[in-house]
Structure formats: structure tokens, C-alpha cells
Amino acid sequence: MASVNQKQRVVVTGATGQLGSELKVILEQDLSKECFFLDRKQLPLDQIMLIQDILAMYQPDVIVHAGAYTAVDLAESETVLADQVNHLATDEIAQYCRLHGVQLIAISTDYVFDGNSSTPLTEDAAVSPINVYGETKLKGEQAIQKWCPKAIIIRTSWVYATFGKNFVKTMLRLMSERDSISVINDQIGSPTSAHDLAKAIVTIINSDKWAGGLYHYSNEGEISWYDFAVAIRELKQLDCDIVAIPTTSYPTPAKRPSYSLLDKTKIKTVYGVEVPFWRDSLAACLDSL
């Protein structure tokens, strides 16, 4: 930890991603911190041997590891690269944190679950990923737990933001180009505003307590991708027919969990994090687009 008169040094990986970009907006306003936002050029997560040396240059008190290989379908064929970035790079970061007494907050995914649950998933629910992306993220979690058991791991789902590529932006584009689109209605979960997740992470960093372990965070509510698309259409008052289809009608290289609703009780209880309702957060994002 930083001393009393010294600024807390925070390193954020994946700085140009959705969450990294939202963290940058919030943290750059905090004068009590010296923050370093590392993108894939400054911290190439596929260059495993360089990672600890690069981190040492910044001497962080806290690392928020938001960088990841997130191309879920491509991961099925780019298995080595996905493993390097999501597992082996995370292993190096965790080792660095252990060696230097650095606090680590790492982002994981609902894709560590198989989707066979019918009730919201708690942090101790059994993990069993059904795609390569989920497998590599789970290995990353396990590496953190091995080297850095006091780290905080936050699993999240269906992330979107004003930054980067995501479902919300894709829907807006398709609805403006087409009279009709088809969207899957049998995968259930809750979207996550990257802005809300970034605020939750900053709440943890600024807290006077550090309670390591697994946490879940997504917005409140339970919907399908179809419901999500319909809400986007309604909020933007677009004129496009949205057809509900089953997953079987839209085959993808990677399987998706059919149910991955996360239980947020722990993060709300331990850190007093406020979790907005999904539709309110979507409306806020659409307003700022």
C-alpha cells in the first residue's frame, strides 16, 4: 500500500477495452492516485516473458487486470493465443503481485459455468466451462488463487459500454440497416454496464478493507438477448422487427451457457456496492452514445 503522503499507484491492464476505458474516465479524476493505463502495446499479454519486467517499471500498489482475449468464437481456433493471454499472462501478473505485495483485482467471466443452473449463480457454484474462452479464463482464476489467494476476482457477464464493440452497438447498427433481425431468446442472464462495473471496482480500491476472494457483478434483472434487443429498440424508438429464435437456429463455433445469471449478494454485502437495474444502465449508455 502507498504511504500516507504518497499517491497510490494503480496499473490498469486492457486500457483500451470497454472496462479499461471506463476505468480511465473515473480514475483520471482521482488526484489521490497515480494511474497507469496499459494497452496491448505497452503490456503485450501474449509476450509472457516480458510481463513481470514491464510491471516492475510502474511499481504499482494495485493492479486492475482487465485485459483479456475476449473473441469467444475465435478462441475455438486460436487456442494457444487465448491461453497465453487469459491464463499464462494472468499467472505472471499473479506471481508479480505475490512477490511484491501488490493488491490484485482481476476480471473473469460467467463463461466459467456450464449454463445448466436454474437459479442465480453464487461464487461457490460449481464451475465447468463449455468453450475455450471459458476454460482459459478459469485457468487464469486458478493461477490467481494459487499465487495470490488474497486477490479479488470479479466475474461479470454480457459487458457493454459506450467504448469498443459490443451487443448494444451491433444492435443499433443492424436495426438502422435492416427491417428485421433475429435474436436468441433462450440464453438467460443479465447485461453489465462497464461504467457500473468500473464504479464498483473503484469502490473496492477506495475501501478501507480488503476482502480477497471471488465476487460476482452484473446489473440487476434477468433477461434474454432478445429482451435486451427489444429494450434497445424501445429506448431508441427504432422501427425494426425483432424475431425471437432459439440458439439452435444460430450456431456459433463456441457454445454459450444457456443460463448464467450471477448472484450479486456478496459484493453488495461486503463492499456496499450499489447494483443498478439493467434497463436504467442501458438507458444511460444509450443517452451518452
Side-chain angles (χ1 to χ4, degrees):
M1 291 298 295
S3 63
V4 176
N5 56 0
Q6 196 182 357
K7 286 189 176 184
Q8 187 181 34
R9 295 169 71 88
V10 180
V11 160
V12 176
T13 73
T16 54
Q18 298 184 96
L19 179 58
S21 298
E22 294 285 1
L23 282 164
K24 190 174 185 185
V25 170
I26 298 171
L27 286 170
E28 281 189 332
Q29 299 167 20
D30 188 339
L31 301 178
S32 71
K33 295 177 177 53
E34 192 173 357
C35 299
F36 305 94
F37 302 94
L38 309 184
D39 61 22
R40 63 183 61 172
K41 287 199 185 89
Q42 293 147 317
L43 183 68
L45 294 172
D46 57 344
Q47 305 287 317
I48 308 302
M49 305 308 291
L50 302 178
I51 289 171
Q52 292 200 47
D53 289 341
I54 293 170
L55 291 174
M57 289 160 46
Y58 298 95
Q59 296 188 308
D61 301 301
V62 182
I63 295 175
V64 181
H65 181 32
Y69 179 108
T70 56
V72 177
D73 287 321
L74 208 51
E76 295 294 313
S77 53
E78 292 188 344
T79 53
V80 173
L81 181 59
D83 189 68
Q84 283 177 326
V85 174
N86 290 343
H87 167 213
L88 300 177
T90 301
D91 188 289
E92 291 295 316
I93 292 168
Q95 285 191 54
Y96 176 86
C97 290
R98 179 177 183 134
L99 282 167
H100 301 279
V102 177
Q103 292 178 329
L104 174 61
I105 300 175
I107 307 306
S108 192
T109 173
D110 60 318
Y111 281 29
V112 298
F113 299 110
D114 61 15
N116 292 334
S117 178
S118 55
T119 55
L121 293 147
T122 60
E123 288 78 4
D124 55 5
V127 289
S128 180
I130 56 173
N131 58 41
V132 170
Y133 168 70
E135 283 173 14
T136 60
K137 291 295 285 183
L138 179 58
K139 285 181 184 171
E141 285 188 11
Q142 291 164 341
I144 292 167
Q145 289 161 333
K146 173 185 170 185
W147 295 112
C148 207
K150 288 184 179 170
I152 288 172
I153 299 168
I154 303 176
R155 294 179 181 140
T156 190
S157 63
W158 302 19
V159 178
Y160 69 93
T162 53
F163 302 95
K165 294 178 185 172
N166 53 62
F167 181 81
V168 174
K169 289 186 175 179
T170 300
M171 289 297 109
L172 289 173
R173 178 176 58 79
L174 292 176
M175 287 183 210
S176 66
E177 292 171 357
R178 300 181 188 176
D179 298 327
S180 174
I181 59 171
S182 300
V183 183
I184 289 165
N185 71 343
D186 58 356
Q187 291 174 20
I188 304 299
S190 183
T192 303
S193 155
H195 176 73
D196 293 344
L197 177 55
K199 280 168 63 175
I201 290 166
V202 173
T203 297
I204 292 171
I205 294 172
N206 290 337
S207 171
D208 55 5
K209 66 177 169 185
W210 186 269
L214 286 163
Y215 292 86
H216 286 174
Y217 187 96
S218 66
N219 285 120
E220 295 285 19
E222 177 177 343
I223 60 169
S224 68
W225 291 105
Y226 169 79
D227 300 325
F228 198 13
V230 169
I232 294 165
R233 180 184 66 185
E234 288 173 358
L235 288 164
K236 292 301 282 185
Q237 298 180 327
L238 296 167
D239 187 24
C240 178
D241 187 33
I242 305 175
V243 180
I245 59 167
T247 300
T248 50
S249 297
Y250 188 73
T252 53
K255 281 185 177 173
R256 277 19 178 217
S258 59
Y259 183 95
S260 60
L261 186 65
L262 300 173
D263 184 308
K264 277 79 71 170
T265 305
K266 184 179 175 184
I267 201 166
K268 289 190 281 190
T269 305
V270 176
Y271 280 107
V273 166
E274 290 182 17
V275 183
F277 187 63
W278 71 270
R279 195 180 172 102
D280 298 333
S281 296
L282 173 61
C285 177
L286 291 172
D287 282 346
S288 56
L289 280 169

